Amino acid sequence: MAYCCQCGVELDEHAEKCPLCNFEVPPALVKDRDKNRIYPRAVNAHTHQTDVIKNKILYAYSLVSLAVVLILLVLNSILQPEHKIFQYAMGCIVASILYVFLLLGYIKRLTRILMSLGLLTWLLCMFLDSIDGVFTWSILWAMPIIAVTTLVFVIVRILYRRGKHTNHFIFIPIYICLGLAVLLPLIELIIQYNLFDRFKLTWSLVSTISLVCFSGVVAGLYYQMPEYIKERLIRIFHV
Amino acid sequence: MRYKRKKSDSWFKLDNAGKLYPSIASSRVSTTFRITAVLKETVHAGHLQLALDAACKCYPVFNVRLRRGLFWYYFENVNEAPKVLNERYFPCNSIRLRHSHAMPFSLLYYKKRIHLEMSHAISDGAGAMVFFKCILKNYYRLSHHMTPIRKIQLVEGQDEDAFEKYYQPKLPNPRKVSRAFHFPFKLIEKGEYRITTGLFSYDGLKGCAAKYDTSPTKFLLMLLFETIQDYIESSNLSMREITPIIINMPVDLRGYYDSVTVRNFFISLTPQIDVRLGHYTREEILREIDHYLALNLNTKHLSQYIRRNFRNELFWHVRVIPLFIKNAIIPIVYNYYGESSYTTSLSNIGSVKMEAPYDTMIEHLELLPPPSEGNIIKATMISYKDITALSFGSLTEDRTIERLFFRKLREEGLHIKMETNY
């Protein structure tokens, strides 16, 4: 019979440390843990069930996709069309299996998933661009846009994690809006540079200001306005 | 095993409290509580199955499956009792209410323990205890080569919706509760549930309470308030993060109204202290609790709570919303109005008695609260003979609240034995 000398409570015969303060019980006092357990080694019902559903979805989707790819291959060999429609379709279908794999969360950590999605999208764009034999848009357009988008969302994710917010319903939309507010001007800069060889912001400024205002209003409502701002607003806008 | 669809002409509506639970059920909010009987001998699975079969014959109100209607869930009676299962999952996680044809309870066993996991969709702690006692009695009889009780004289009103019976439409609403303080602890993985149980003497507890000239429940409530107050004072929380400490205290209404229903019949009272006003001494906390309960624990005020809860389901615009939309909306509404208005809960099922000779089989009883994402730490309490089991169910790894609470209890001179599932 072991006692915790910090909490003063009696511990289970198999307890290796006090559950309240983690004070370690001398090994000689600990009885066979597996034999004396009062609860079994628990299986996580949620993880188990989620894994089963995820596997089913991936399996069914892969099976259907592969069947479609086979049909396209057969059609391609029979029809032998001049255009490359079947190659485009097959590339997209194979990539979609990988997208489903990533979106179902088989890879742990959201930052890794985001980076994998970015990489996969870029590879898909390269593949689609290479079908006609020349790399054009994938280098100038797709690569910078995908790189910037991935980078912005990875940074947003890291910042959100560091923020340790408890109310996800409020803060996930706020962070997404702020991420878009940063991303859209960057995308417009890439477009402007590729089309007109200059850096000028137009429509993205409107969207950025709107998104920042929306985030500010939501956060303000959540945190409630500080008294001095309330007072100043009343002073300025009183009727 | 897949449930075989059988035509049944027997069905009934969920009661007022029960209507909420299937809609809010998720992997972190199972809405399932657990009553455990720790026996003196290892459990015999065969006898337990027969005991359950017999108990389901005695209480057909529990032998049901949850079905989806177009607007509401409903219960459909079935003939076969569910199979007893060896405990495998984390506590209070064996029932998947949102799955089709879900049973509202499951009976588990592990070594010397029998667990009844019951969803709040069908019954509360007091109702489940009636059913559990029947199972235990039958188990005892089978273990001692006696015939099980297959039929009991059903008391009229045992399966009634008591909320409907005692609903008074013309009462005013009770006062709204403010937003409560919530623990800023990180959640553990979905599907996991941490249990910390302290076992101590019931007479010892009564002695401790007597020192403060109060009841055991009020005494423990006071310690829980003080524990949370100590936590807030010791952590560097900004004034904006501190809101009143509100503890949800479920009240069994059977003691106040003439009802013997085994379905849900409880409401939640919410005593509180506002730590922004300054430090509360034990005497001050007790005074707050005493005054609050003296004001609210009477049929006049309890009827107000019944009326507030029940009238929501009478609105025609609520009734005609299809179930799948209700399932999407109700969790948000519940989170905003229900979970956010209390910090934690302390549920006391009281001192449970079993008649002789059945009482000799049981060493002690335990009660576990349902996990909840909005209130990540909850406490329950049950007493049997001289053993009181106080359990904390937690969705966080942080043990600060449990540590502070049990140390306080220990300082009062109680000998405490700890049991955990981690």
Side-chain angles (χ1 to χ4, degrees), chain A residues 3 6-10 12 19-21 33-35 37-40 42-46 49 223, chain B residues 27 87-89 96 99 110-111 190-192 240 399 403 407 410 415-421:
Chain A
Y3 283 84
Q6 286 188 30
C7 302
V9 294
E10 187 190 333
D12 252 346
L20 302 175
C21 66
R33 190 173 168 83
D34 284 330
K35 233 181 191 176
R37 290 183 77 94
I38 52 166
Y39 287 94
V43 176
N44 188 331
H46 171 76
Q49 206 133 24
Y223 281 124
Chain B
S27 47
E87 190 185 4
R88 194 174 162 221
Y89 298 115
R96 291 274 165 272
H99 283 202
Y110 183 72
K111 292 182 180 174
K190 281 182 181 176
E192 289 185 13
R240 193 179 49 76
R399 298 276 152 266
R403 185 175 66 241
R407 279 186 182 176
R410 181 75 195 86
H415 173 270
I416 303 167
K417 190 188 174 198
M418 300 305 303
E419 289 179 352
T420 63
N421 73 331

Side-chain angles (χ1 to χ4, degrees), chain B residues 23 98 322-333:
Chain B
S23 296
R98 295 289 274 271
L323 184 62
F324 71 94
I325 298 177
K326 281 195 187 103
N327 282 344
I329 297 169
I330 289 176
I332 300 165
V333 175

Side-chain angles (χ1 to χ4, degrees), chain B residues 39-53:
Chain B
L39 307 187
K40 289 173 182 166
E41 303 288 333
T42 306
V43 176
H44 187 285
H47 288 166
L48 190 62
Q49 181 65 61
L50 292 171
L52 177 62
D53 292 346

